[in-house]
Amino acid sequence: MQHRARKRFGQNFLTDSSVVSRIVNTIAPMADQLILEIGPGQAALTWPLADSGAELVLLEIDRDLASRLTTQFAARDNVRVCTGDALKMDFAELTGGRAFRLVGNLPYNISTPLLFHVLQWGTLIDDMHFMLQKEVVNRMAASPGGKTWGRLSLMCQYHCAVTPLFDVPPSAFSPAPKVESAIVRLVPHPRPPVQIEDFRSFEKVVGQAFSQRRKTLRNSLRSMIDAADMESAGIDPGARPETLGLAEFALLSGILESKEQ
Ligand code: SAM
């Protein structure tokens, strides 16, 4: 039976076989690897991934699609289907604590919380390849100083090297999304590029600074950090958050952490 795409699950299925081949060639799956696919849907990427001989764990929220996948891949002993919400999943449990590669044409309506969720398992993940809205990929890969630099760029780049790979037009999907898409590769850093003692302080400072991105740091961080302390750390309290890089936010989180102790 034909599946009707469910908007609430962000279902835009890939139908362009040349785009599917390009994505899978870029991922280059190998037989000895464990790959977790988020949102396999109608299995456009899943079939070629499974054909590589890699061990596949499929995580799908839509029960109808999950049951169809279970039937379709019943004869493949390298494929396991799990039904559930990726936002609530313990990925270490799903993969038995083994190192894995993560792939997914992600549901665009939850892409940012999903990225934050998966980054928690960075130490277990070899690499990630995602299809996302192009605008989101631009923010993930942005550099300080521009309009797209913000919380998402800082969080992704603290954990990973971010490489935008190629764009995918709406015509490659059914139903066609209203926006351009892009493929991005994330490779977790073996060691973080800056030292952050308390990640929660970092998240707090970044979240607060960018919640009012037109305000100066002096104003937006007033309730957390004194302007004098910023100056002593070499940070201009009159600066706007988009001009600061990872290293400066690490310094600010260090000040906050020392205050809260
Ligand atoms: N991989 C397929 C493709 O490329 O054609 C489908 C991609 S579609 C954009 C997103 C898929 O993610 C859908 O199958 C949807 O049901 C599934 N999905 C949506 N939210 C999810 C969640 N929270 N956890 C797991 N899967 C989810």
Side-chain angles (χ1 to χ4, degrees):
M1 216 175 70
Q2 183 94 10
H3 175 82
R4 277 189 63 182
R6 294 185 165 122
K7 219 174 167 178
R8 71 177 184 283
F9 291 147
Q11 291 178 350
N12 298 97
F13 300 108
L14 261 175
T15 48
D16 184 327
S17 56
S18 64
V19 172
V20 169
S21 302
R22 191 165 178 204
I23 296 171
V24 176
N25 288 339
T26 301
I27 297 170
M30 311 262 271
D32 59 347
Q33 295 172 339
L34 173 61
I35 302 183
L36 172 57
E37 185 185 3
I38 300 177
Q42 302 194 105
L45 298 169
T46 319
W47 284 114
L49 289 172
D51 287 343
S52 73
E55 186 181 337
L56 283 191
V57 177
L58 311 179
L59 177 55
E60 176 54 64
I61 198 169
D62 185 322
R63 289 182 179 279
D64 294 338
L65 289 177
S67 107
R68 185 188 291 206
L69 289 159
T70 305
T71 310
Q72 286 175 318
F73 288 93
R76 302 284 187 117
D77 54 15
N78 60 328
V79 180
R80 173 159 57 97
V81 182
C82 302
T83 312
D85 182 348
L87 280 173
K88 296 187 182 141
M89 278 292 161
D90 179 331
F91 285 25
E93 206 175 293
L94 264 184
T95 54
R98 290 159 58 198
F100 65 97
R101 305 182 71 193
L102 187 58
V103 309
N105 171 10
L106 298 185
Y108 294 167
N109 50 347
I110 55 162
S111 56
T112 305
L114 195 50
L115 284 167
F116 288 150
H117 183 72
V118 304
L119 288 173
Q120 292 177 66
W121 283 277
T123 51
L124 278 182
I125 302 176
D126 291 328
D127 61 16
M128 311 175 222
H129 290 85
F130 295 133
M131 172 103 74
L132 289 160
Q133 278 185 47
K134 188 176 172 184
E135 175 266 330
V136 172
V137 170
N138 288 342
R139 287 196 281 127
M140 291 163 76
S143 306
K147 280 204 172 78
T148 46
W149 176 250
R151 182 169 167 251
L152 186 63
S153 338
L154 281 154
M155 293 302 160
C156 289
Q157 294 176 31
Y158 172 71
H159 290 285
C160 301
V162 181
T163 313
L165 296 173
F166 53 90
D167 297 346
V168 179
S171 59
F173 305 82
S174 174
K178 290 197 176 68
V179 290
E180 283 283 319
S181 303
I183 300 287
V184 64
R185 176 186 290 138
L186 303 180
V187 180
H189 296 302
R191 267 179 309 283
V194 294
Q195 211 181 336
I196 294 171
E197 299 300 335
D198 175 28
F199 195 68
R200 256 174 306 173
S201 301
F202 178 69
E203 284 178 311
K204 256 195 205 171
V205 167
V206 170
Q208 179 69 21
F210 284 101
S211 68
Q212 298 163 304
R213 61 183 296 142
R214 295 181 61 81
K215 286 197 175 176
T216 61
L217 298 172
R218 177 188 289 106
N219 287 331
S220 62
L221 300 181
R222 189 183 292 279
S223 62
M224 291 182 175
I225 300 174
D226 294 338
D229 290 336
M230 291 182 204
E231 266 169 0
S232 330
I235 296 170
D236 174 8
R240 295 228 162 85
E242 68 261 28
T243 62
L244 267 59
L246 250 180
E248 287 82 13
F249 276 105
L251 282 174
L252 289 173
S253 69
I255 302 174
L256 178 63
E257 190 200 340
S258 62
K259 296 246 162 209
E260 286 186 335
Q261 269 172 2

